[in-house]
Amino acid sequence: MALGIGVIGVGVMGRRHADNIGGLAPRARLLAVTDSDAEAARSTADYLGADWYANADDLLARSDIQAVVIATGSDTHAELVVKAADRGKDILCEKPLALTVPDAERAAAAAEANGVRLQVGFMRRYDPAYKEAFEAIAQGEIGHPVLFAGISRDAQPPPRSYFTGAGAGGLFIDSGNHDFDLARWLMQDEVSSVSASGGIVASPELADVQPIDVGLATLTFRNGAMGTVALYRRAVYGYDIRTEVLGTEGAVMIGGHTKHAVRFLRPGRSTSEVQMHWLDRFAEAYRLEVADWVQRMATDRPPTITATDGVRAVQLSVAAEESRATGRPINLPTY
Amino acid sequence: MALGIGVIGVGVMGRRHADNIGGLAPRARLLAVTDSDAEAARSTADYLGADWYANADDLLARSDIQAVVIATGSDTHAELVVKAADRGKDILCEKPLALTVPDAERAAAAAEANGVRLQVGFMRRYDPAYKEAFEAIAQGEIGHPVLFAGISRDAQPPPRSYFTGAGAGGLFIDSGNHDFDLARWLMQDEVSSVSASGGIVASPELADVQPIDVGLATLTFRNGAMGTVALYRRAVYGYDIRTEVLGTEGAVMIGGHTKHAVRFLRPGRSTSEVQMHWLDRFAEAYRLEVADWVQRMATDRPPTITATDGVRAVQLSVAAEESRATGRPINLPTY
Amino acid sequence: MALGIGVIGVGVMGRRHADNIGGLAPRARLLAVTDSDAEAARSTADYLGADWYANADDLLARSDIQAVVIATGSDTHAELVVKAADRGKDILCEKPLALTVPDAERAAAAAEANGVRLQVGFMRRYDPAYKEAFEAIAQGEIGHPVLFAGISRDAQPPPRSYFTGAGAGGLFIDSGNHDFDLARWLMQDEVSSVSASGGIVASPELADVQPIDVGLATLTFRNGAMGTVALYRRAVYGYDIRTEVLGTEGAVMIGGHTKHAVRFLRPGRSTSEVQMHWLDRFAEAYRLEVADWVQRMATDRPPTITATDGVRAVQLSVAAEESRATGRPINLPTY
Amino acid sequence: MALGIGVIGVGVMGRRHADNIGGLAPRARLLAVTDSDAEAARSTADYLGADWYANADDLLARSDIQAVVIATGSDTHAELVVKAADRGKDILCEKPLALTVPDAERAAAAAEANGVRLQVGFMRRYDPAYKEAFEAIAQGEIGHPVLFAGISRDAQPPPRSYFTGAGAGGLFIDSGNHDFDLARWLMQDEVSSVSASGGIVASPELADVQPIDVGLATLTFRNGAMGTVALYRRAVYGYDIRTEVLGTEGAVMIGGHTKHAVRFLRPGRSTSEVQMHWLDRFAEAYRLEVADWVQRMATDRPPTITATDGVRAVQLSVAAEESRATGRPINLPTY
């Protein structure tokens, strides 16, 4: 029997999830989509052969939908998770789980209370390069991990309207949420304190709506390991995601600038195309993420990335922003 | 209306095509599969929610199947193309189109006579790196192409049984068929003569069933450009496909050894995982190939890679083998 | 006429300088060496065909020595610069210029007062890769530089005896001095504030003699640009020096892990040798540094890297350490 | 006692050797240079503090010169080796040893008859990357070597005057001599037959003075291994020397396009500087070559690369050219 799936929010991210679910037939079936932009919902539904609704409640009311993907604006994630959980749906929620710690905790609690499974969309964990790194670390190939370095750079900031909308969470949560999750996952430890700073270095025209375009965080882990997360909204040259984990016996480095295995050589310079978009860089990760999640939901197994992972990442993002704003290191609670 | 598709031959390659067709719903539908191994046909059909047949004729008899993928042993391609063409099906045939020039020509003629469209599975043309290289060359970014160098190395030869079976075509056709197609495509010219040699350098245990595990061909193009194709069945370290095109104003190089963007660094050595399998290296190419073909078939457009491309590549493969066997350069006909 | 040169301190670094001076004949001549280890002085002198002295004063007393290289322990740099300046010698002093800001300023003042030229040994500025990056930045190829990221990792910490000796300056000055100089040079701006942290993550056995084996500093430049410097004493896998400068129109990245252009490929992994030692990584830089300095001294031109550069780098190193120790950001004076 | 050295021929190559000998003081001393261009001899001698002569005989007559470097036009190598050998000088002769096999044999015989040591300037063997590859192969790290692939590409052909002069040897000897030596050295075997072809693909303006700008050779080794050598005079984008040796258990690849460890990233493309000149690519090899040779001459040891190596490489170059010209494979004598 195919798993009936609904997708809530069909912007660029939700549309990608919906497409990928199409590729999982006959084990999964995209039954319906919804979006605050009804026209987007309708055209996506038509293209993919699904139903559409103008609001999420109608989609959630369908009993043949067992699982939903939430890919709306970040400010609505928590509320939609609660609603979906109340309707008994299993959930794949895009990151961040919420924009505040209380909201994230509320979402996690609702899933727990209703006995539904909630996975948070940290798709980098599914990227074959990250996965290989994780497995090598877990098998002790670099000894004990002691130093983490995460770089996340967007080519260009989102449009001005993004920052004035309710969905913007600030650099440490919009972009940093991924790195904080990677830090916990790859270092196999929880963070005990965060110290962060930031500033506007290249986006003066956005300074009135975003406090920083560079965000720099230093992490201390419970076991004494340390780490850095460096975020930047305007790398210009490309979308640049790199992570290093140094251990007592070696190191692993993930990521690079080259998009394809193709180089052009001309007098004086060799050139290669740089990755420009996250949907290109992580196309395979998104495919594998939704395939794994569908497989687990269909076979009654727990999700790979839990609600707690989502809460922890929000805690770290919020702590980084608080540290930046106050100029003080922030200690994390000892959960 | 979904394009109804049948897949003939569900070995590793046909199964991949069938999977990828699944991802094209609702624009395409895999209706049936067939294989000389009925159990393989049945289990694939069950998994993908399609019908199955023990022989291709039954599949070809279905009128709701408008297009077929042929992914059987190379020795059966030509005959199946003829049958499918006679039934009016559009065809995506795995390379090589045939093992001999007359068979390839017969297949191409059958498609033409029946007014069906025949595409040959040179999926490397769909690989994003090759595609970017092709487009750059076509736009004159390296000037006029004057030197081609193609390397194709398998990690290990196929099992002994492959060489004793009817489907084995010899190194210049099994593996070289791709490189000869790339040579024509990227150099934008036809080959006028081929000179080739080869030998057994690392597979003495197979020497009684395969004449060469290394094949080296030199190409002269009609416009005076030159090229080399170097094939090897036992690279051990990985599946290594690299191509260089040098032009009068620059060069382009496609391919590399690294599988993922992940490196392990340990005292004295840094390591990265090497690509081992063609299905990994060209996974995206296979996806894009079948998506493009379905799109073209569904919208009544000609195929991207034509029957003539298939015939030419067979001519070159056969000429290379003849040159090797006779020790003489072989001139190609002036088609 | 050959420039007469003396080398004070013939440990690994001074010995390398002395060797390189040998290669500059007949434009320069190594006349004498000295070292607190008289046997080292003697054997080096014998090998290189120079005189030797058991103390620096005797070397400085020779009137045929017009210029000296100071390559002793860091704690003695300032005093020797003062002595050499008093004797009227031009000076190439290894970094750091001193271990404290007052000492660094005293050394710079002595050179100025005596009208001698003092260059500080920031040899990375001579490395062809760094030099190419600098020139590209200076020519505006990346727009206006807005973000700096420096990584300096040693493969292993020095022996315990180093830390208990007087010459140890702490991670921010021993290693960080280079990165702070690169930051000023490549960003073409002065640093206005430094915030730093650090800890022991992988060297517990040295914890009683060194406060940190990881040092992380965040820099704010006067024009609003930002930067990070990440230092580590125990990378295990190699000597890893990388620098990134991001500008408003592009970025430049210097450094990498591969020692030679050679790769080994074996089943499942490709490997390459990692740079393990700074004398290997910067061999050419040291050659070019001493050649440039000799050329400038011999032709009465100012040094490339000035006493002020040496003072500024000490100020930054000391500020970073103070920030780490106090947990507060440190503002730099507005020189 | 310093080894007294003379350099015969101070074009770009001889001048480099003379410079490098300067760096070996006090163990070696450049005593004199000579060149058919007396002005070049004089200015080099002045710069380096040596004597100069208008002809080689006068230099060879000096009894304080124990060893000579021959870096004149290729057509004069053999004769100068004979003269120097007759005078009892040890010799480092630039490649090729001669332009014909009889000349090469005559040169080798003269050295033997006079009991002097003759090294041929295959400096690639001193390149750290090649050396590391060789040692790994010798230690069995790739199993038994079975396939060789050598690529040598110049950025641009020499000026027209080069081809009309007596020193031009044709592509297979000018450039191929290095690759044929690498093939013997890295494969640890002698070549039994050569088959070659070539043509003019990008230098029509030179077609009347050079028969080929592309040269492609296939090698068969005595033990059954195979190899290719691909030479090109007009790569445009850079000086590109790459070598691959495949063994039964792995492979090693030497060379690459990047000049420095520096990359520029801009929207859509990342760029790096390509090696353009052999003196840059092999600067360190030339230094190490002359240092090793001086050390061996000064300590009465045999040279690293022998007269026989020089003869063999000439035999292979000449055989390749003969194969190209006749269209037949050429078997090498069983020396």
Side-chain angles (χ1 to χ4, degrees):
Chain A
M1 249 290 290
L3 183 77
I5 302 179
V7 173
I8 302 174
V10 287
V12 63
M13 199 59 261
R15 173 63 188 265
R16 175 63 63 107
H17 284 308
D19 275 344
N20 285 336
I21 290 164
L24 298 171
R27 287 166 301 292
R29 253 195 93 194
L30 177 72
L31 295 181
V33 303
T34 178
D35 198 282
S36 58
D37 174 350
E39 179 50 30
R42 197 188 56 74
S43 70
T44 302
D46 283 359
Y47 185 76
L48 295 171
D51 299 327
W52 68 276
Y53 300 96
N55 71 72
D57 294 327
D58 294 339
L59 183 149
L60 290 169
R62 276 180 65 157
S63 62
D64 57 346
I65 290 179
Q66 290 109 40
V68 294
V69 173
I70 298 173
T72 53
S74 298
D75 57 318
T76 65
H77 288 178
E79 184 194 346
L80 285 165
V81 167
V82 172
K83 281 187 178 182
D86 287 348
R87 289 288 195 162
K89 313 301 186 194
D90 289 319
I91 304 159
L92 171 59
C93 180
E94 265 308 302
K95 52 65 46 184
L97 182 51
L99 292 180
T100 68
V101 177
D103 276 355
E105 289 173 338
R106 189 161 58 90
E112 172 124 26
N114 286 285
V116 302
R117 291 164 291 174
L118 169 56
Q119 170 150 341
V120 178
F122 292 122
M123 86 294 175
R124 292 188 194 174
R125 296 200 191 189
Y126 286 95
D127 176 69
Y130 277 98
K131 198 177 171 84
E132 185 181 342
F134 171 77
E135 283 163 7
I137 294 169
Q139 285 158 24
E141 287 194 28
I142 61 165
H144 189 66
V146 294
L147 193 57
F148 175 89
I151 286 177
S152 285
R153 297 177 185 154
D154 284 312
Q156 291 291 344
R160 184 178 182 84
S161 57
Y162 171 78
F163 295 104
T164 56
L171 186 53
F172 284 114
I173 196 156
D174 289 349
S175 168
N177 212 237
H178 280 301
D179 290 276
F180 293 128
D181 181 62
L182 289 178
R184 295 178 60 247
W185 181 54
L186 293 172
M187 297 296 283
Q188 304 177 315
D189 196 11
E190 297 290 350
V191 173
S192 57
S193 79
V194 178
S195 180
S197 58
I200 295 273
V201 302
S203 315
E205 80 286 5
L206 295 174
D208 59 325
V209 291
Q210 64 161 354
I212 55 172
D213 59 7
V214 167
L216 305 168
T218 303
L219 311 178
T220 304
F221 293 85
R222 290 188 182 169
N223 62 11
M226 297 191 71
T228 54
V229 168
L231 311 169
Y232 186 35
R233 286 209 190 268
R234 183 163 261 162
V236 183
Y237 62 82
Y239 175 66
D240 189 359
I241 306 297
R242 283 174 287 151
T243 307
E244 307 190 7
V245 180
L246 278 72
T248 48
E249 294 169 29
V252 58
M253 313 206 166
I254 308 112
H257 303 105
T258 306
K259 184 174 179 182
H260 303 144
V262 59
R263 273 177 303 171
F264 295 94
L265 295 101
R266 291 194 198 76
R269 294 270 182 230
S270 82
T271 70
S272 53
E273 198 179 344
V274 180
Q275 203 77 49
M276 292 303 285
H277 201 281
W278 88 93
L279 281 179
D280 288 338
R281 168 65 182 88
F282 290 110
E284 188 67 11
Y286 284 117
R287 265 189 214 108
L288 295 169
E289 176 187 48
V290 96
D292 171 69
W293 174 68
V294 161
Q295 179 73 6
R296 286 171 170 270
M297 296 307 103
T299 56
D300 287 328
R301 286 184 293 149
T304 297
I305 303 170
T306 66
T308 300
D309 291 324
V311 172
R312 291 288 177 267
V314 173
Q315 288 174 312
L316 288 168
S317 291
V318 168
E321 175 56 20
E322 185 183 345
S323 172
R324 184 200 67 79
T326 63
R328 291 183 298 103
I330 304 297
N331 293 319
L332 277 295
T334 49
Y335 25 78
Chain B
M1 250 290 291
L3 183 78
I5 302 180
V7 172
I8 302 174
V10 288
V12 64
M13 199 58 261
R15 174 63 187 265
R16 175 64 63 105
H17 284 309
D19 275 344
N20 285 336
I21 290 164
L24 298 171
R27 286 167 303 293
R29 255 195 92 193
L30 178 71
L31 295 180
V33 303
T34 177
D35 198 282
S36 58
D37 174 351
E39 179 50 30
R42 198 189 54 76
S43 70
T44 302
D46 283 0
Y47 184 77
L48 295 172
D51 298 327
W52 68 276
Y53 301 96
N55 71 72
D57 294 326
D58 294 340
L59 183 149
L60 290 169
R62 276 180 64 158
S63 61
D64 57 346
I65 290 179
Q66 290 110 37
V68 294
V69 174
I70 297 174
T72 53
S74 298
D75 57 318
T76 65
H77 288 178
E79 184 194 345
L80 285 165
V81 167
V82 171
K83 280 188 178 179
D86 285 349
R87 289 287 193 166
K89 313 299 187 195
D90 290 318
I91 303 160
L92 171 59
C93 179
E94 266 307 303
K95 50 65 50 184
L97 181 52
L99 293 180
T100 69
V101 176
D103 276 355
E105 289 173 338
R106 190 163 55 91
E112 172 123 26
N114 287 285
V116 303
R117 291 164 292 173
L118 169 55
Q119 171 150 340
V120 179
F122 292 122
M123 85 295 176
R124 292 188 192 173
R125 295 200 192 188
Y126 286 95
D127 176 68
Y130 277 99
K131 199 178 170 83
E132 184 182 342
F134 171 78
E135 284 165 7
I137 294 170
Q139 286 159 23
E141 287 194 28
I142 62 166
H144 188 67
V146 294
L147 194 57
F148 175 89
I151 287 177
S152 285
R153 297 177 185 154
D154 284 313
Q156 292 290 344
R160 184 179 182 85
S161 57
Y162 172 78
F163 295 104
T164 57
L171 185 53
F172 284 115
I173 196 156
D174 290 350
S175 169
N177 212 237
H178 279 301
D179 290 275
F180 293 128
D181 180 64
L182 290 178
R184 294 178 60 248
W185 182 54
L186 293 172
M187 297 296 283
Q188 304 177 315
D189 196 10
E190 296 290 350
V191 173
S192 56
S193 79
V194 178
S195 180
S197 58
I200 294 274
V201 302
S203 315
E205 80 286 3
L206 294 173
D208 59 325
V209 291
Q210 64 162 355
I212 56 173
D213 59 8
V214 167
L216 305 168
T218 303
L219 311 178
T220 304
F221 293 85
R222 290 188 181 170
N223 61 13
M226 297 191 72
T228 54
V229 168
L231 311 169
Y232 186 35
R233 287 210 190 268
R234 183 163 261 162
V236 183
Y237 62 81
Y239 174 67
D240 189 359
I241 305 298
R242 282 174 287 150
T243 306
E244 307 191 7
V245 180
L246 279 72
T248 48
E249 295 169 29
V252 58
M253 313 205 166
I254 308 112
H257 302 105
T258 307
K259 185 174 178 183
H260 303 144
V262 60
R263 273 179 302 173
F264 294 94
L265 293 101
R266 291 195 198 75
R269 294 272 182 228
S270 81
T271 70
S272 53
E273 197 179 346
V274 180
Q275 203 76 48
M276 292 304 284
H277 201 281
W278 87 93
L279 281 179
D280 288 338
R281 168 65 182 88
F282 290 110
E284 187 69 9
Y286 283 117
R287 264 189 215 110
L288 295 169
E289 176 188 48
V290 96
D292 171 70
W293 174 69
V294 160
Q295 179 74 6
R296 286 171 172 271
M297 296 306 101
T299 55
D300 286 328
R301 285 183 295 148
T304 297
I305 303 170
T306 66
T308 300
D309 291 324
V311 172
R312 291 287 176 268
V314 173
Q315 288 174 312
L316 288 168
S317 292
V318 168
E321 176 55 20
E322 185 183 345
S323 172
R324 184 200 68 79
T326 63
R328 292 183 296 104
I330 303 298
N331 292 318
L332 276 294
T334 50
Y335 25 76
Chain C
M1 249 291 288
L3 184 78
I5 301 179
V7 173
I8 302 174
V10 288
V12 65
M13 200 58 261
R15 174 63 188 265
R16 175 62 65 104
H17 284 308
D19 275 344
N20 284 337
I21 290 164
L24 298 172
R27 287 165 304 291
R29 255 195 92 194
L30 177 71
L31 295 180
V33 303
T34 179
D35 198 282
S36 57
D37 174 350
E39 179 49 31
R42 198 188 56 74
S43 70
T44 301
D46 284 0
Y47 184 77
L48 295 172
D51 299 328
W52 68 276
Y53 300 96
N55 71 72
D57 293 326
D58 294 340
L59 184 149
L60 290 169
R62 276 181 63 157
S63 62
D64 58 345
I65 290 180
Q66 290 111 39
V68 294
V69 174
I70 297 175
T72 54
S74 298
D75 56 319
T76 65
H77 287 179
E79 184 194 346
L80 285 165
V81 167
V82 172
K83 280 187 178 181
D86 286 347
R87 288 288 194 165
K89 314 299 187 196
D90 289 319
I91 303 160
L92 172 59
C93 180
E94 266 307 302
K95 52 68 41 187
L97 181 53
L99 293 179
T100 69
V101 176
D103 276 355
E105 289 173 337
R106 189 162 57 91
E112 172 125 25
N114 287 284
V116 302
R117 291 164 292 175
L118 169 56
Q119 171 151 341
V120 179
F122 292 123
M123 85 294 176
R124 291 187 194 174
R125 294 201 193 189
Y126 287 95
D127 176 69
Y130 277 100
K131 199 177 170 82
E132 184 181 342
F134 172 77
E135 284 164 8
I137 294 170
Q139 285 158 25
E141 287 194 28
I142 62 165
H144 187 67
V146 294
L147 194 57
F148 175 90
I151 287 177
S152 284
R153 297 177 185 154
D154 285 312
Q156 291 289 345
R160 184 178 181 84
S161 57
Y162 171 79
F163 295 105
T164 56
L171 185 53
F172 284 115
I173 197 157
D174 290 350
S175 170
N177 213 237
H178 279 302
D179 290 275
F180 293 128
D181 181 63
L182 290 178
R184 293 179 59 247
W185 181 54
L186 293 172
M187 297 296 284
Q188 305 178 312
D189 196 11
E190 298 289 351
V191 173
S192 56
S193 80
V194 179
S195 179
S197 57
I200 295 274
V201 302
S203 315
E205 79 287 3
L206 295 174
D208 58 325
V209 292
Q210 65 162 353
I212 56 174
D213 59 7
V214 167
L216 305 168
T218 303
L219 311 178
T220 304
F221 293 85
R222 289 188 182 169
N223 62 11
M226 297 192 71
T228 54
V229 169
L231 311 169
Y232 186 35
R233 287 211 191 267
R234 183 163 262 161
V236 184
Y237 62 82
Y239 174 67
D240 189 358
I241 306 296
R242 282 173 287 151
T243 307
E244 307 190 7
V245 181
L246 279 72
T248 47
E249 294 169 28
V252 58
M253 314 205 166
I254 307 112
H257 302 105
T258 307
K259 184 175 179 181
H260 303 144
V262 60
R263 272 177 303 172
F264 294 93
L265 294 102
R266 290 195 199 76
R269 294 271 182 229
S270 81
T271 70
S272 53
E273 198 179 344
V274 180
Q275 203 77 48
M276 291 304 284
H277 201 282
W278 87 92
L279 281 179
D280 288 338
R281 169 64 183 89
F282 289 111
E284 188 68 13
Y286 283 117
R287 267 191 212 107
L288 295 169
E289 175 188 47
V290 96
D292 171 70
W293 174 69
V294 161
Q295 179 73 6
R296 287 171 170 271
M297 296 306 102
T299 55
D300 287 328
R301 286 184 294 148
T304 297
I305 303 170
T306 66
T308 300
D309 290 325
V311 173
R312 291 287 176 269
V314 173
Q315 288 174 312
L316 289 168
S317 291
V318 168
E321 175 55 20
E322 186 183 344
S323 173
R324 183 201 67 78
T326 63
R328 290 182 299 104
I330 303 297
N331 293 319
L332 276 296
T334 49
Y335 25 77
Chain D
M1 250 289 290
L3 183 78
I5 301 179
V7 172
I8 301 174
V10 288
V12 64
M13 199 58 262
R15 174 64 188 264
R16 175 63 63 105
H17 284 308
D19 274 344
N20 284 337
I21 289 165
L24 298 171
R27 288 166 303 292
R29 254 195 91 194
L30 177 72
L31 295 181
V33 304
T34 178
D35 198 283
S36 57
D37 174 351
E39 180 48 33
R42 198 189 56 74
S43 70
T44 302
D46 284 359
Y47 184 77
L48 296 172
D51 299 327
W52 68 277
Y53 300 97
N55 72 71
D57 293 326
D58 294 339
L59 184 150
L60 290 169
R62 278 181 62 159
S63 62
D64 58 345
I65 290 179
Q66 290 111 37
V68 293
V69 173
I70 297 174
T72 53
S74 298
D75 57 318
T76 67
H77 288 179
E79 184 194 345
L80 284 165
V81 166
V82 171
K83 280 187 177 180
D86 287 347
R87 288 288 194 165
K89 313 300 188 197
D90 289 319
I91 303 159
L92 171 58
C93 179
E94 265 307 303
K95 52 65 46 185
L97 181 52
L99 292 180
T100 69
V101 176
D103 277 354
E105 289 173 337
R106 190 162 57 90
E112 172 124 27
N114 287 285
V116 302
R117 291 163 292 175
L118 169 56
Q119 170 151 339
V120 179
F122 292 123
M123 86 294 176
R124 291 187 194 174
R125 295 201 192 187
Y126 287 95
D127 175 69
Y130 277 99
K131 200 178 169 83
E132 184 181 343
F134 172 77
E135 283 163 7
I137 294 170
Q139 286 158 24
E141 286 194 29
I142 61 164
H144 188 67
V146 294
L147 194 57
F148 174 90
I151 286 177
S152 285
R153 296 176 186 156
D154 284 313
Q156 291 290 344
R160 185 178 181 84
S161 57
Y162 172 79
F163 295 104
T164 57
L171 185 53
F172 284 114
I173 196 157
D174 291 348
S175 169
N177 212 237
H178 279 302
D179 290 275
F180 293 128
D181 180 64
L182 289 178
R184 294 178 59 246
W185 182 54
L186 293 172
M187 297 296 283
Q188 305 177 313
D189 195 11
E190 297 291 350
V191 173
S192 57
S193 79
V194 178
S195 181
S197 57
I200 295 273
V201 302
S203 315
E205 79 287 3
L206 295 174
D208 58 325
V209 291
Q210 65 161 354
I212 56 172
D213 59 7
V214 167
L216 305 167
T218 303
L219 311 178
T220 305
F221 293 85
R222 289 187 182 170
N223 61 11
M226 297 191 73
T228 53
V229 169
L231 311 169
Y232 186 35
R233 287 211 189 268
R234 184 162 261 162
V236 183
Y237 62 82
Y239 175 67
D240 189 357
I241 306 297
R242 283 173 288 152
T243 306
E244 308 191 6
V245 181
L246 279 73
T248 48
E249 294 169 27
V252 58
M253 313 206 166
I254 307 113
H257 302 106
T258 307
K259 184 173 180 181
H260 303 143
V262 59
R263 272 178 303 171
F264 294 94
L265 294 102
R266 290 195 198 77
R269 293 272 181 226
S270 81
T271 70
S272 53
E273 199 180 344
V274 179
Q275 204 77 49
M276 291 304 284
H277 201 281
W278 86 93
L279 281 178
D280 288 339
R281 168 65 182 87
F282 289 111
E284 188 68 9
Y286 283 118
R287 265 190 213 110
L288 295 169
E289 177 189 47
V290 96
D292 172 69
W293 175 68
V294 161
Q295 179 74 4
R296 287 171 169 270
M297 295 307 102
T299 55
D300 287 328
R301 285 184 293 150
T304 297
I305 303 170
T306 67
T308 301
D309 290 325
V311 173
R312 290 289 177 268
V314 173
Q315 288 173 313
L316 288 168
S317 292
V318 168
E321 174 56 20
E322 187 183 344
S323 172
R324 183 201 67 80
T326 63
R328 291 183 296 106
I330 304 297
N331 292 319
L332 276 296
T334 49
Y335 25 77

